[in-house]
Amino acid sequence: ETGVTQTPRHLVMGMTNKKSLKCEQHLGHNAMYWYKQSAKKPLELMFVYSLEERVENNSVPSRFSPECPNSSHLFLHLHTLQPEDSALYLCASSQDWGEEKLFFGSGTQLSVL
Amino acid sequence: GDSVTQMEGPVTLSEEAFLTINCTYTATGYPSLFWYVQYPGEGLQLLLKATKADDKGSNKGFEATYRKETTSFHLEKGSVQVSDSAVYFCALSEKSSASKIIFGSGTRLSIRP
C-alpha cells in the first residue's frame, strides 16, 4: 500500500463520452502528478500540481483536463478521447514539488473504443 | 533533451539466475539516477537511487552503479526469485530541474520457477 489510491481501476469509454479519473493520496504530500504509461514508450509526464496550483503542463491535448481541488485529491477529466489515448494513467505524489521520490497509485487502465 | 534508454523486454530467466537490465542515459548536467519497479497490478515504487558518479544504489539484493564514463546505470541481481517478476524502469532527474523525472520505457522481467 503506497498511500495513493486511484479509481476506477479499469475504464472503457467511447470517443464521445465524458469521464473522470480520480486520485487520492493519504500521505500529506504537497505535489501530485499525472503520468501516461503506454506500451513500449517512456512514461509521459502530463501534469504537475504543487499546493493545488498547476506548475507543469507538458503539451497535453485539451481533451485532458486536470483538476486539483485540494492537496489530497487530483482528477483527470476526459472528453472526446481518441483510441490512441488508450493507456494506463498513473497518479503520483511527492512530499514537495521537485522531490525525487515519487509514490505511485496502481493506475487506471483506460480503453477508448 | 535528456533521455533514458533501457533494454527492451521481455526478459525471461529461471529462478536463481543472474540478472542484468541495461540502462544508458543522455543528460546535459549531472543527474540523479533511479530504478523504479512496478509489480503486477501496482504502481511504480522506488527501488534504488544514486546521486553522483561511482555511487552504488542497492536494495532487496538489487544493485546499480552510476557510471559517468559510460553514461550507464545497469541493474543487477545475483540470484533472482519468482517474486522479482515485474516491470523495471530506469529514470533520471536533473538537479537543476528536479521537478521532472524522465523515465525509460520499462523492461518486463519474468522469472520461471
Side-chain angles (χ1 to χ4, degrees), chain A residues 1-2 9 33 35 37-43 45 48 55-56 58 88 90 97-107, chain B residues 4 8-9 32 34 36 38 41-46 49 51 87 89 93-95 97-106:
Chain A
E1 175 58 53
T2 64
R9 292 294 298 268
Y33 310 75
Y35 280 87
Q37 183 180 0
S38 304
K40 300 195 176 181
K41 286 186 175 180
L43 249 62
L45 178 63
V48 182
V55 294
E56 283 208 34
N58 289 351
L88 181 67
L90 291 166
W97 178 38
E99 287 281 330
E100 294 177 332
K101 185 171 183 180
L102 299 178
F103 293 77
F104 283 83
S106 304
Chain B
V4 174
E8 276 199 34
S32 295
F34 311 87
Y36 275 79
Q38 183 180 31
E42 298 183 15
L44 281 71
Q45 305 172 27
L46 180 64
K49 66 182 275 189
T51 58
V87 181
F89 291 87
S93 171
E94 283 277 20
K95 293 180 179 62
S97 178
S99 63
K100 184 178 287 189
I101 297 179
I102 296 170
F103 288 86
S105 53

Side-chain angles (χ1 to χ4, degrees), chain A:
Chain A
E1 175 58 53
T2 64
V4 180
T5 305
Q6 290 186 243
T7 53
R9 292 294 298 268
H10 302 275
L11 178 62
V12 179
M13 59 187 289
M15 291 195 290
T16 58
N17 291 157
K18 287 185 182 180
K19 296 287 184 183
S20 296
L21 310 185
K22 180 182 176 182
C23 176
E24 184 174 0
Q25 57 97 359
H26 313 278
L27 301 169
H29 288 172
N30 295 317
M32 296 186 77
Y33 310 75
W34 279 117
Y35 280 87
K36 177 182 179 183
Q37 183 180 0
S38 304
K40 300 195 176 181
K41 286 186 175 180
L43 249 62
E44 299 173 44
L45 178 63
M46 300 176 72
F47 301 104
V48 182
Y49 276 82
S50 174
L51 298 170
E52 301 148 49
E53 287 195 18
R54 190 188 307 181
V55 294
E56 283 208 34
N57 175 1
N58 289 351
S59 301
V60 179
S62 59
R63 57 186 185 269
F64 295 91
S65 174
E67 179 190 1
C68 188
N70 55 63
S71 59
S72 299
H73 292 86
L74 185 65
F75 294 89
L76 188 62
H77 303 300
L78 314 173
H79 178 48
T80 58
L81 294 192
Q82 305 298 311
E84 60 264 29
D85 296 323
S86 299
L88 181 67
Y89 288 84
L90 291 166
C91 175
S93 70
S94 62
Q95 184 61 60
D96 294 297
W97 178 38
E99 287 281 330
E100 294 177 332
K101 185 171 183 180
L102 299 178
F103 293 77
F104 283 83
S106 304
T108 295
Q109 186 65 55
L110 174 67
S111 297
V112 181
L113 304 180

Side-chain angles (χ1 to χ4, degrees), chain B:
Chain B
D2 294 356
S3 65
V4 174
T5 302
Q6 55 184 111
M7 63 191 289
E8 276 199 34
V11 174
T12 303
L13 297 172
S14 297
E15 206 165 17
E16 299 183 2
F18 184 86
L19 168 71
T20 300
I21 300 178
N22 290 339
C23 172
T24 57
Y25 66 90
T26 302
T28 51
Y30 301 95
S32 295
L33 302 174
F34 311 87
W35 278 100
Y36 275 79
V37 57
Q38 183 180 31
Y39 297 106
E42 298 183 15
L44 281 71
Q45 305 172 27
L46 180 64
L47 179 61
L48 55 83
K49 66 182 275 189
T51 58
K52 61 183 188 296
D54 300 324
D55 266 3
K56 178 185 284 188
S58 61
N59 187 22
K60 300 182 180 179
F62 290 90
E63 293 183 340
T65 301
Y66 191 141
R67 301 281 188 207
K68 186 168 178 289
E69 63 275 14
T70 54
T71 61
S72 65
F73 193 56
H74 304 323
L75 183 68
E76 296 182 337
K77 186 173 185 181
S79 176
V80 292
Q81 305 300 313
V82 172
S83 57
D84 294 326
S85 298
V87 181
Y88 292 82
F89 291 87
C90 187
L92 70 80
S93 171
E94 283 277 20
K95 293 180 179 62
S96 62
S97 178
S99 63
K100 184 178 287 189
I101 297 179
I102 296 170
F103 288 86
S105 53
T107 301
R108 181 174 298 279
L109 173 66
S110 296
I111 307 300
R112 294 187 300 251

